């Protein structure tokens, strides 16, 4: 089934099903055929195609009894009193129209917003203290965000910790005044999207019956069960657990369609909901000239403003069909995904360094004993041998080298993140002041993690996915440890590098003596409960890919190995990269423009959707070689097996059509370089591509200000990621080269030639310095009359693992750099020119002397004591 329905996963380990699961091929094929064979019109019309749409949508929502072979598409609830009618959605949740109504929304977030705005809140007054909005701190951001609506109504919001609710359940705290009908709302997730913890569904009945109160206040409690994460892999029986509101998103269950969710509303609560705005399709009648409006009768028609996403609703039918056909139902999915999670959790717990220290720290409220208390989600951070946390961003970058897709950060659940990682409220504020925002890659601040790593399983996940992930963790952390080697994966296996990249495995150590509470874990699906043996038996050992073993020429060695005395600081090489992510164009002297080296990263290759391609997605970009001829004002592009093609350096203003593109979240004006180069690129890559150039009159402003910059002026950028220039220092490269060669298990003298290693870092300026990484202590540099401010280090991604001559990947470079630089993969520094006068031409040249100015309060072991803590010109 995996090969037939999810062939696109070949060679990929997808472990972010809690973020978005994947759709099967047959579901999409069936839906596409449906659209091609039928005409679906707007359901608010009365023609034949509209009637077909209406009936199909209501079939998904409510499947009514058939009358003379036709579906009764009317949705007025009073027409079906006494009938138990079900639809695909209600049937899936084991309920019927007798108890629930389905309101289609844009997703679970929109459903939560609807409840916040329509709930019958009572503001404080002379006769009462008003309603309470209570939510579990382990809630998604979209739940917590409801408090902004309640605050506007002067309704008190009360966050409650999971342990406090559990304590209330144990005490059996009852309502102080059972006759009081003041409405309160309690929200909690059936499953934490952070840790996978499953909270008792029994809370629903206990709270609604008044036998348990999240907060001891008089009134009537209603319950909103956030089921979005839970129902992706588990059945939910609403005939037993009758929550008042159940928001959900369908892509979490089916993978497709996205942007469609629903709010399941208990019919006993529906009459209490209040609505102010009314949109198309919700009115039985209204007047444009005066305040007269009569809503439609059914709750769905009242709250579905405008035309619903009817084609997406129709797609749900095919989603339900495929899910049942491929899996046999949600109970099977629950058992399958939990078994994979339990197996992976147990193996992770057993991983130890030779010292006995754990390799990972898992954040969980359970010991993965049962799917009733734990979903198929594992949240963790990786530790080094000293017990220090390795930032999630570094783990994510390493995982991508193995084509393993994980999720990192706080997962839109700050409350759970704070609780499990020990982050105080004050620390959150300090992290914000330090520049950290939700969703970025600032993973450690003062050594403390700002987030973690999450993996999650779906019904199409297989044992090999779990094993590939475990092999990756072992390769990442234990590859240097002495111990019993584990079996090697076969090239081409899931999560393993390609055959051309494979090389001999190196030993890894697994703790074979560790005892843990999971030793007696169930052995469903043939997974052994002898944990250490299991880890070894499955071959948790990825091969490290082979590097190109070309030998350095004598001249290359002379340029890199300078016998401890690196000589004066001079520019040894200059490179520009006319096409973003394509090969370098080396020069000895080159003009400077307002955005950096003239024509550096002025072009980019985009896919058929207009998305900029990089070597992360398309490593063969490095095989595209551009050459610029300034005199003829052309760029010649070459590639193996292709005829050279010429592209003009500047656009023809009369025929150029400007379009907007995006680079690093910035909108830039570009123009298409023509059909000829598009066809050339498409033939080379085997899929549609286009070449775009940044418009010459478009100014892309840099986010970071340069000191000494005049007020109101901003430095401008080409299509670069961060800054106008990137500089690397040869002694720094040499140190990394020596570390890589020393770790070569095969004893080869020269694993990485100096020139090849330099090319991986794709810098503009290469200097010969006096000591490794001294460039990180510089505040600015001068080259002749040109001054450049050092903006900071370049945080490296997995692109440095790509051999720029072959397009082959080698994880060693990233991993070794990560190890040697305290897990922060920094290499090279960003530069911006300051106070540049363009009244006369300016050039950078190989051989020019580089004069750095140290940062203030910088200590450097090469400096005499008398010069420390001062600005020093070398």
């Amino acid at each position: 089934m995996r090969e037939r329905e999810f062939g696109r996963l070949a060679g990929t380990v997808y472990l972010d099903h809690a973020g978005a699961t994947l759709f099967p091929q047959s579901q999409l094929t069936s839906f596409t055929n449906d659209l091609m064979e039928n005409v679906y019109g707007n359901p608010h019309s009365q023609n034949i195609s509209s009637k077909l749409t209406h009936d199909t949508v209501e079939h998904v929502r409510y499947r009514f009894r058939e009358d003379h072979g036709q579906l009764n598409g009317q949705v007025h609830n009073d027409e079906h009193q006494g009938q138990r009618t079900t639809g695909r959605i209600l049937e899936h949740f084991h309920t019927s129209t007798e108890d629930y109504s389905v309101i289609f929304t844009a997703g679970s977030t929109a459903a939560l917003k609807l409840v916040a705005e329509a709930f019958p809140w009572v503001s404080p007054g002379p006769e009462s203290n008003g309603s309470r909005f209570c939510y579990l701190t382990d809630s998604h951001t979209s739940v917590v965000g409801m408090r902004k609506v309640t605050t506007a109504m002067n309704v008190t919001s009360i966050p409650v910790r999971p342990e406090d609710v559990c304590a209330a359940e144990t005490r059996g705290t009852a309502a102080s005044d059972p006759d009081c009908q003041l409405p309160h709302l309690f929200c909690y997730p059936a499953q934490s999207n952070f840790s996978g913890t499953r909270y008792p569904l029994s809370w629903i009945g206990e709270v609604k019956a008044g036998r348990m109160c999240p907060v001891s206040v008089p009134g009537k409690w209603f319950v909103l069960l956030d089921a979005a994460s839970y129902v992706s892999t588990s059945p939910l029986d609403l005939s037993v657990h009758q929550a008042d509101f159940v928001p959900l998103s369908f892509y979490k269950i089916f993978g497709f369609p996205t942007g469609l969710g629903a709010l399941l509303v208990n019919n006993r609560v529906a009459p209490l909901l209040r609505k102010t705005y009314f949109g198309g399709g919700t009115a039985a009648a209204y007047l444009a000239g005066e305040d007269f409006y009569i809503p439609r009768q059914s709750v769905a028609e009242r709250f579905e403003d405008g035309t619903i996403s009817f084609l997406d609703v129709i797609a749900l039918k095919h989603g339900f069909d495929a899910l049942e056909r491929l899996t046999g139902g949600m109970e099977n999915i629950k058992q399958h995904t939990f078994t994979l999670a339990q197996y992976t959790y147990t193996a992770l717990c057993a991983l130890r360094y030779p010292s006995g220290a754990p390799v990972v720290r898992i954040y969980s409220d359970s010991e993965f004993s049962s799917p009733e208390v734990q979903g198929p989600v594992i949240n963790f951070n990786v530790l080094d041998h000293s017990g220090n946390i390795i930032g999630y961003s570094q783990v994510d970058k390493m995982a991508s080298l193995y084509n393993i897709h994980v999720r990192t950060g706080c997962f839109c659940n700050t409350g759970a993140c704070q609780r499990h990682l020990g982050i105080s409220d004050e620390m959150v504020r300090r992290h914000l002041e330090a520049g950290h925002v939700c969703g970025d890659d600032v993973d450690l601040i003062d050594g403390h993690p700002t987030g973690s790593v999450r993996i999650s399983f779906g019904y199409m996940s297989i044992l090999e996915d779990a094993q590939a992930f475990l092999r990756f963790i072992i390769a990442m952390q234990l590859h240097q440890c002495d111990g019993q080697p584990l079996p090697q994966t076969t090239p081409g296996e899931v999560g393993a590098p390609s055959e051309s990249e494979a090389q001999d495995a190196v030993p890894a150590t697994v703790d074979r003596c560790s005892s843990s509470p999971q030793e007696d874990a169930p052995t469903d699906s043939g997974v052994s409960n002898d944990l250490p043996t299991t880890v070894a038996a499955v071959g948790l050992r990825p091969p490290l890919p082979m590097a190109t073993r070309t030998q350095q020429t004598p001249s290359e060695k002379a340029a890199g190995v300078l016998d401890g005395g690196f000589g004066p600081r001079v520019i040894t090489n200059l490179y520009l990269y006319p096409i973003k992510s394509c090969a370098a164009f080396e020069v000895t002297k080159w003009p400077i423009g307002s955005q950096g080296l003239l024509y550096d990263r002025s072009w980019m290759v985009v896919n058929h959707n207009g998305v900029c391609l990089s070597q992360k997605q398309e490593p063969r970009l490095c095989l595209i070689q551009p050459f610029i001829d300034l005199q003829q004002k052309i760029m010649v592009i070459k590639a193996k097996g292709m005829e050279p093609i010429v592209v003009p350096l500047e656009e023809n203003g009369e025929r150029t059509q400007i379009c907007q593109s995006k680079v690093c979240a910035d909108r830039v004006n570009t123009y298409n370089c023509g059909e000829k180069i598009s066809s050339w690129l498409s033939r080379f890559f085997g899929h549609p591509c286009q070449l775009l150039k940044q418009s010459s009159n478009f100014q892309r402003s840099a986010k970071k200000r340069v000191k000494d910059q005049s007020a109101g002026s901003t430095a401008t950028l080409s299509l670069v990621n961060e800054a106008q220039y990137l500089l690397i220092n040869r002694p720094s490269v040499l140190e990394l080269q020596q570390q890589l060669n020393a770790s070569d298990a095969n004893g080869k003298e020269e694993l990485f030639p100096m020139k090849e290693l330099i090319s991986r870092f794709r810098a503009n300026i290469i200097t010969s310095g006096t000591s490794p990484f001294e460039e990180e202590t510089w505040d600015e540099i001068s080259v002749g009359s040109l001054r450049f401010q050092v903006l900071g280090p370049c945080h490296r991604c997995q692109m440095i693992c790509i051999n720029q001559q072959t397009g082959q990947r080698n994880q060693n470079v990233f991993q070794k750099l990560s190890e040697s630089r305290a897990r922060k993969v920094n290499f090279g520094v960003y530069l911006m020119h300051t106070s540049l006068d363009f009244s006369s031409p300016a050039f950078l040249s190989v051989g020019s002397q580089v004069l750095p100015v140290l940062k203030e309060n910088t200590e450097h072991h090469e400096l005499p004591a008398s010069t420390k803590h001062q600005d020093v010109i070398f």
Side-chain angles (χ1 to χ4, degrees), residues 324-337:
E324 183 65 31
R325 183 180 69 255
L326 296 175
T327 70
M330 295 304 297
E331 184 63 33
N332 291 342
I333 293 175
K334 180 177 79 170
Q335 295 299 331
H336 172 72
T337 54

Side-chain angles (χ1 to χ4, degrees), residues 141-411:
T141 302
S142 299
V143 171
V144 181
M146 295 170 68
R147 71 187 183 196
K148 295 298 288 185
V149 177
T150 63
T151 299
M153 300 180 182
N154 204 22
V155 170
T156 302
S157 298
I158 305 174
V160 182
R161 300 179 304 170
E163 51 267 37
D164 293 336
V165 179
C166 292
E169 182 182 25
T170 303
R171 294 194 306 268
T173 307
S176 56
D177 183 359
D179 296 325
C180 180
Q181 296 299 303
L182 186 66
H184 308 298
L185 182 63
F186 173 51
C187 302
Y188 80 98
Q191 174 178 296
S192 168
N193 72 308
F194 181 91
S195 64
T197 296
R198 288 183 168 169
Y199 293 103
L201 297 177
S202 60
W203 285 0
I204 298 170
E206 294 294 303
V207 171
K208 289 181 64 176
R211 292 187 295 271
M212 183 181 86
C213 292
V215 180
S216 184
V217 293
K220 180 179 178 60
W221 283 95
F222 296 86
V223 178
L224 183 151
L225 182 72
D226 180 4
S229 180
Y230 181 87
V231 299
S232 62
T233 55
S234 283
L236 175 61
D237 191 340
L238 291 179
S239 68
V240 177
H241 307 290
Q242 295 197 349
D244 297 298
F245 308 100
V246 183
L248 52 95
S249 290
F250 290 110
Y251 76 95
K252 301 278 189 181
I253 307 173
F254 306 121
F256 176 86
T258 57
L260 180 68
L263 177 66
L264 308 187
V265 181
N266 194 306
N267 288 335
R268 290 188 292 273
V269 181
L272 302 178
L273 298 180
R274 302 178 300 198
K275 190 164 185 282
T276 52
Y277 173 83
F278 65 92
T282 64
Y286 76 95
L287 291 174
E290 62 179 82
D291 189 10
F292 174 78
Y293 162 70
I294 303 298
R296 287 187 177 269
Q297 185 173 356
S298 78
V299 64
E301 289 180 313
R302 287 202 307 272
F303 282 92
E304 289 175 354
D305 292 304
T307 303
I308 62 172
S309 186
F310 56 87
L311 292 182
D312 286 338
V313 175
I314 292 170
L316 294 182
K317 171 189 178 298
H318 302 279
F320 282 117
D321 289 344
L323 196 72
E324 183 65 31
R325 183 180 69 255
L326 296 175
T327 70
M330 295 304 297
E331 184 63 33
N332 291 342
I333 293 175
K334 180 177 79 170
Q335 295 299 331
H336 172 72
T337 54
F338 175 73
T339 299
L340 290 175
Q342 183 187 55
Y343 163 78
T344 307
Y345 169 82
T346 309
L348 283 174
C349 289
L351 293 179
R352 295 288 187 274
Y353 288 101
S355 65
V359 172
V360 299
R361 178 177 299 160
I362 297 176
Y363 306 110
S364 174
D365 293 312
S366 78
E367 295 175 350
F368 285 70
S369 59
S370 162
E372 307 308 316
V373 298
Q374 178 65 47
V377 176
I378 304 175
N379 196 302
F380 65 97
N381 268 318
V382 178
L383 308 175
D384 65 17
H385 60 87
S386 300
N388 300 311
I389 288 177
I390 297 171
Y392 61 75
S393 178
Q394 305 309 314
V395 177
D396 189 21
K397 290 175 181 177
M398 285 297 298
S400 68
L401 299 178
Y402 289 77
N403 210 10
I404 297 175
H405 302 191
V406 300
R407 182 76 175 267
T408 60
C410 270
F411 323 103

